[in-house]
Amino acid sequence: MDPDLAALDEYLADAGYDGYLVDAPGSDATQRYLSGFDAPDPFVTLYTPDSTAVLVSALEYGRAKTESQADDVSRLADYDYRSLAAKHGTHEAKARVVEAWLADRGVDAVATPERFPLGSADHLRERGIAVEPETADVVTEIRARKTPTEIEWIRATQRANEAAMAAANDLLTAATVQRAAAVDDGESAASPEDEVLVHDGEILTSERVKREIEATLLRNGCALDETIVACGAAAADPHDRGSGPLRPDEPIIVDIFPRSKTTRYHADMTRTFVKGEPTETIRQWFELTQAAMDAAFDVLEPGATGRAVHDAVCDVYEDAGWPTLRSDSTTGTGFIHSTGHGVGLEIHELPRLSPDGGELRPGQVVTVEPGLYDPAVGGMRLEDLVVVTEDGYENLTDYPFELTV
Amino acid sequence: MDPDLAALDEYLADAGYDGYLVDAPGSDATQRYLSGFDAPDPFVTLYTPDSTAVLVSALEYGRAKTESQADDVSRLADYDYRSLAAKHGTHEAKARVVEAWLADRGVDAVATPERFPLGSADHLRERGIAVEPETADVVTEIRARKTPTEIEWIRATQRANEAAMAAANDLLTAATVQRAAAVDDGESAASPEDEVLVHDGEILTSERVKREIEATLLRNGCALDETIVACGAAAADPHDRGSGPLRPDEPIIVDIFPRSKTTRYHADMTRTFVKGEPTETIRQWFELTQAAMDAAFDVLEPGATGRAVHDAVCDVYEDAGWPTLRSDSTTGTGFIHSTGHGVGLEIHELPRLSPDGGELRPGQVVTVEPGLYDPAVGGMRLEDLVVVTEDGYENLTDYPFELTV
């Protein structure tokens, strides 16, 4: 992958730190990025401009030597951890081991991620080691600019995501509309007189569509913790995951954000579908949201700020008479989230396409996801994933915008 | 779920803290336990004996009000976050909002989890709030003792796990043994003359068995980040996930640790299989490991220490002439991990069945997983999940021990 860590080296030199210390499990993005190692329990990584060292349990030692990017692998047992734990307890023992391990490497001042564990930091500070969280986003800014390899990994995850979206789309397309009484066994949340989507003789639910999405992702080497398939009023809450019977003539938001099980890089995409006949209002929302997305793309290029991209989207919605968080910071209807976020080892990372979004740089991968929400109508959101290039952007998403299914 | 938090109340009162502060995403076990809320990005929870308050982004506000256990839900926007972020940057703005939110609740001294984010803590301390990580494991000890509801959730996850183990077992049973040359397309890691397992006309790999396990878990409402299907030399490293063709006459370790997608509670189970004819050595390992498990169960009851259970397992292996980490802390062969760990919202949590394992209490759910490892032979591990009861333990696992498939 070979990222450019020159900005970190410079930061450490300027601020007088010997290295950058991470104490986190392999699921932590910065841990994974710097160590290249994926272990379920927290382990310690020391990055210096000359070397990457990891300190792991005996259990992970063999794997760390072959799988991590570290050129220096130690285990707790090398520092007499067991007898220290018997004498001082596990927390204090771990700190003493880290202290000795740092001393062996001539390190007594480290920068850490903003979310470095407080307990470890306090222990090390008590033992005379300078430990300062870096709040300048040095490492997260480096992580935000993807190498060509990382961009290919994200593109591959988005390919799997497109297959999952197609599977959801196909289920909705194949569904019919019936009264719940005709198919319901009395256990669903639908009233007998309600019209619902029906597939294979059963009421089609959010849960059923999510299972199809997940099974498709799995076949394509990806996983996800959650996905959103939200219909009607649920869709009016941008982070409601959705549940229960899907209904005709109402917008159904499908938002999928998987990660590759191999590379751990994420992708993200949203489409909104209506089975049956969308109201005129929903049609207008759809067109307005496409216009908002186009407005964002018109601005998106290196040197533009994330704030400017967000402002372009707010302009479209506000010009059409909708409130946004820019015009009313407590509104519950209208455009009530930011325009986008970086995507990589984390599903939400830098840069921000929001009021505090800074200058965009080539290699940054961001979502563009305008949306409208009103509990009386439902929700509408459209989202593509793009990478900022030297002279604009490239869309990493290949999926059509079709409202009705 | 209604856990008994009296020990936390007592700790806060004794140490003079107003409350317990958590800053973590919903995937963090303590965050989930105290807030009952699952959001992908970090949010803040303040537990006091009188109230549970959460502070979330605008995006999560609606869901937090309906889904969290909190009786007091605020959003960043209530504290003018946007303009603070514009003036001071996001880190400082977040700290100022938390400071004001704590002040509104009369709180100026908090205990936190050991892994509370250092950056947030330093910001709050600079603003005069006492922030101390609790290293007495107060909350993790509370979490270790499960309520009847939590035990049922873990049992349900183990039911799904048994279905997944059966699916893997079935694949291995249905496989035939052939020379790789007869089926290989030249892309696998097997040499043409090697004997390999074959299923449906293709070489049966670790990856294929893992896909079957994962698909089965998915159908049963569970997910997993990783699973172990390790054959031969790979199985000699307890945390090697395994890859490539599976071979006859060698032990294949299948270790599955899923979590429920609904409750987030985990389960854990390991079996070791041999396709074909196990060597006499492997048979002895199997019997010895069953004897080690029995020895652990003989000791396991409330009042016994995790250390005593671990010692019982070490005794069996050492008496048979094997090294253990107890007899040689740097050995790479023999019994080279601890006997077990707690399981709950985290896959590894308290209590420990290890040299530093304390007194066991009713309601604690632990794995019992003795194993033997030697790169020249492979690995052997057997693992059940049990709950400590008032007068012994109850095995939550219902899966046979059959070596040959």
Side-chain angles (χ1 to χ4, degrees):
Chain A
M1 188 178 82
D2 203 22
D4 181 359
L5 298 173
L8 178 56
D9 295 352
E10 199 178 322
Y11 168 79
L12 294 173
D14 287 354
Y17 299 115
D18 303 317
Y20 192 80
L21 190 70
V22 183
D23 176 346
S27 56
D28 177 89
T30 292
Q31 177 64 287
R32 172 76 178 222
Y33 193 79
L34 292 177
S35 72
F37 189 52
D38 194 3
D41 294 319
F43 61 97
V44 183
T45 296
L46 172 70
Y47 169 84
T48 68
D50 304 322
S51 164
T52 300
V54 298
L55 174 65
V56 298
S57 70
L59 202 58
E60 302 290 2
Y61 183 63
R63 225 163 48 81
K65 288 215 285 190
T66 56
E67 294 179 16
S68 82
Q69 289 160 17
D71 50 284
D72 174 1
V73 177
S74 306
R75 54 191 151 184
L76 296 172
D78 298 337
Y79 289 86
D80 207 20
Y81 172 73
R82 277 287 164 216
S83 50
L84 288 172
K87 203 182 286 178
H88 306 286
T90 54
H91 296 295
E92 173 78 17
K94 182 90 178 287
R96 286 176 182 246
V97 167
V98 174
E99 179 195 13
W101 176 77
L102 290 174
D104 277 357
R105 282 149 190 84
V107 168
D108 62 12
V110 293
T112 72
E114 205 269 338
R115 300 188 69 82
F116 188 86
L118 176 62
S120 307
D122 279 356
H123 271 296
L124 291 171
R125 285 170 171 176
E126 280 160 21
R127 312 191 74 77
I129 294 166
V131 181
E132 287 302 321
E134 62 103 346
T135 52
D137 292 326
V138 177
V139 174
T140 46
E141 290 281 10
I142 291 172
R143 284 207 285 108
R145 296 189 68 172
K146 272 69 182 177
T147 65
T149 302
E150 291 176 286
I151 292 168
E152 289 316 303
W153 287 340
I154 293 167
R155 194 192 301 272
T157 308
Q158 190 74 324
R159 289 293 89 82
N161 205 4
E162 289 156 7
M165 186 64 77
N169 201 338
D170 288 350
L171 258 188
L172 296 174
T173 303
T176 56
V177 176
Q178 299 184 33
R179 288 205 186 279
V183 281
D184 192 8
D185 56 7
E187 292 194 11
S188 90
S191 302
E193 290 309 297
D194 283 358
E195 290 204 310
V196 293
L197 303 201
V198 174
H199 186 265
D200 267 352
E202 291 183 358
I203 292 179
L204 186 60
T205 60
S206 284
E207 291 82 350
R208 174 72 186 84
V209 176
K210 286 189 236 182
R211 279 200 300 278
E212 190 71 23
I213 288 168
E214 199 159 359
T216 306
L217 289 171
L218 188 59
R219 282 195 299 274
N220 286 276
C222 291
L224 80 184
D225 289 329
E226 298 190 283
T227 194
I228 296 173
V229 178
C231 176
D237 184 342
H239 268 204
D240 192 310
R241 278 73 178 125
S243 64
L246 298 173
R247 300 166 197 281
D249 312 331
E250 292 182 9
I252 301 168
I253 291 181
V254 180
D255 185 350
I256 319 178
F257 34 103
R259 72 170 179 280
S260 160
K261 292 167 68 78
T262 320
T263 68
R264 272 198 187 259
Y265 279 78
H266 291 78
D268 201 346
M269 177 177 18
T270 305
R271 292 292 183 269
T272 301
F273 303 106
V274 173
K275 178 77 183 183
E277 195 54 46
T279 60
E280 188 52 33
T281 300
I282 293 294
R283 283 194 192 280
Q284 283 170 3
W285 284 27
F286 182 66
E287 282 161 23
L288 191 59
T289 299
Q290 283 189 297
M293 192 177 239
D294 289 342
F297 286 146
D298 282 346
V299 177
L300 192 69
E301 63 179 12
T305 62
R307 180 187 182 117
V309 178
H310 180 64
D311 280 340
V313 169
C314 291
D315 287 346
V316 170
Y317 285 129
E318 289 172 19
D319 288 351
W322 283 97
T324 71
L325 287 179
R326 184 180 70 176
S327 64
D328 172 4
S329 68
T330 61
T331 182
T333 62
F335 176 47
I336 55 177
H337 50 69
S338 62
T339 293
H341 53 83
V343 170
L345 285 166
E346 294 181 281
I347 182 58
H348 292 155
E349 59 180 45
L350 291 177
R352 300 184 188 90
L353 304 187
S354 72
D356 42 21
E359 229 174 74
L360 297 170
R361 310 276 190 85
Q364 292 178 334
V365 172
V366 292
T367 67
V368 175
E369 48 179 315
L372 273 184
Y373 309 88
D374 182 344
V377 177
M380 163 70 57
R381 184 165 67 255
L382 300 173
E383 177 186 28
D384 274 359
L385 185 65
V386 309
V387 56
V388 181
T389 59
E390 292 294 337
D391 56 2
Y393 70 93
E394 181 194 352
N395 198 322
L396 301 174
T397 321
D398 182 15
Y399 203 87
F401 294 93
E402 288 171 10
L403 179 61
T404 57
V405 291
Chain B
M1 187 178 81
D2 204 22
D4 180 358
L5 298 173
L8 177 57
D9 295 352
E10 198 178 324
Y11 168 79
L12 294 173
D14 287 354
Y17 299 116
D18 303 315
Y20 192 79
L21 190 70
V22 183
D23 175 345
S27 56
D28 177 88
T30 292
Q31 178 63 284
R32 172 76 179 220
Y33 192 77
L34 292 178
S35 73
F37 190 53
D38 193 5
D41 294 319
F43 61 96
V44 182
T45 296
L46 172 70
Y47 169 83
T48 68
D50 304 320
S51 162
T52 300
V54 298
L55 175 66
V56 299
S57 70
L59 203 57
E60 301 290 2
Y61 183 62
R63 226 163 48 81
K65 289 215 284 189
T66 56
E67 295 180 15
S68 81
Q69 290 161 16
D71 50 284
D72 173 3
V73 178
S74 307
R75 55 192 151 183
L76 296 171
D78 297 336
Y79 290 85
D80 206 20
Y81 172 72
R82 278 290 164 214
S83 51
L84 288 170
K87 202 184 283 179
H88 305 287
T90 53
H91 297 295
E92 173 78 17
K94 183 93 178 283
R96 286 176 182 246
V97 167
V98 173
E99 180 196 13
W101 176 77
L102 290 175
D104 277 356
R105 281 147 191 84
V107 169
D108 62 11
V110 292
T112 72
E114 205 268 338
R115 301 187 70 81
F116 188 87
L118 176 61
S120 307
D122 279 357
H123 271 295
L124 291 171
R125 285 170 171 176
E126 280 161 22
R127 313 191 73 77
I129 294 167
V131 181
E132 286 304 321
E134 62 103 350
T135 53
D137 293 325
V138 176
V139 174
T140 47
E141 291 281 10
I142 292 173
R143 283 207 286 109
R145 295 188 69 172
K146 272 69 182 178
T147 65
T149 303
E150 291 176 287
I151 293 168
E152 288 317 302
W153 287 340
I154 293 168
R155 195 192 300 271
T157 308
Q158 190 75 324
R159 287 296 90 81
N161 205 4
E162 289 155 9
M165 186 64 78
N169 201 337
D170 288 349
L171 258 188
L172 296 173
T173 304
T176 57
V177 176
Q178 298 185 34
R179 287 204 187 281
V183 280
D184 191 9
D185 57 7
E187 291 194 10
S188 91
S191 301
E193 290 309 297
D194 283 357
E195 288 203 312
V196 291
L197 303 201
V198 174
H199 186 266
D200 267 352
E202 290 184 1
I203 293 179
L204 186 60
T205 59
S206 285
E207 291 82 350
R208 172 73 185 85
V209 176
K210 287 190 237 182
R211 278 200 302 277
E212 191 72 20
I213 288 167
E214 199 161 358
T216 306
L217 288 171
L218 187 59
R219 281 194 300 275
N220 286 276
C222 291
L224 80 185
D225 289 330
E226 298 191 281
T227 195
I228 297 174
V229 178
C231 176
D237 183 341
H239 267 202
D240 193 310
R241 276 72 178 128
S243 64
L246 298 173
R247 299 166 197 282
D249 312 330
E250 292 182 11
I252 301 168
I253 292 181
V254 180
D255 185 350
I256 318 179
F257 33 104
R259 73 169 178 282
S260 161
K261 291 167 68 77
T262 318
T263 67
R264 273 199 187 259
Y265 279 77
H266 291 78
D268 201 347
M269 178 178 16
T270 305
R271 292 294 182 267
T272 301
F273 303 106
V274 174
K275 179 76 183 183
E277 196 53 48
T279 61
E280 188 51 33
T281 300
I282 292 295
R283 281 193 194 281
Q284 283 169 3
W285 284 26
F286 183 65
E287 283 161 22
L288 190 60
T289 299
Q290 283 189 297
M293 193 178 239
D294 290 342
F297 285 144
D298 283 346
V299 177
L300 192 70
E301 62 179 14
T305 63
R307 180 186 183 118
V309 179
H310 180 64
D311 280 340
V313 169
C314 291
D315 288 346
V316 170
Y317 285 129
E318 289 173 18
D319 288 351
W322 282 97
T324 71
L325 286 179
R326 183 179 71 174
S327 64
D328 172 4
S329 68
T330 61
T331 181
T333 62
F335 176 47
I336 55 177
H337 50 71
S338 60
T339 293
H341 53 83
V343 169
L345 285 166
E346 293 182 282
I347 182 59
H348 293 154
E349 58 179 45
L350 291 177
R352 300 183 187 89
L353 304 186
S354 73
D356 42 22
E359 230 174 74
L360 297 170
R361 309 277 189 84
Q364 292 179 335
V365 172
V366 292
T367 67
V368 175
E369 47 178 316
L372 272 183
Y373 309 88
D374 182 345
V377 177
M380 164 71 57
R381 184 165 66 255
L382 300 173
E383 176 186 29
D384 274 358
L385 185 65
V386 310
V387 57
V388 181
T389 58
E390 292 295 336
D391 56 2
Y393 70 92
E394 181 195 351
N395 198 324
L396 301 175
T397 321
D398 180 17
Y399 203 88
F401 294 93
E402 287 170 9
L403 179 61
T404 58
V405 290

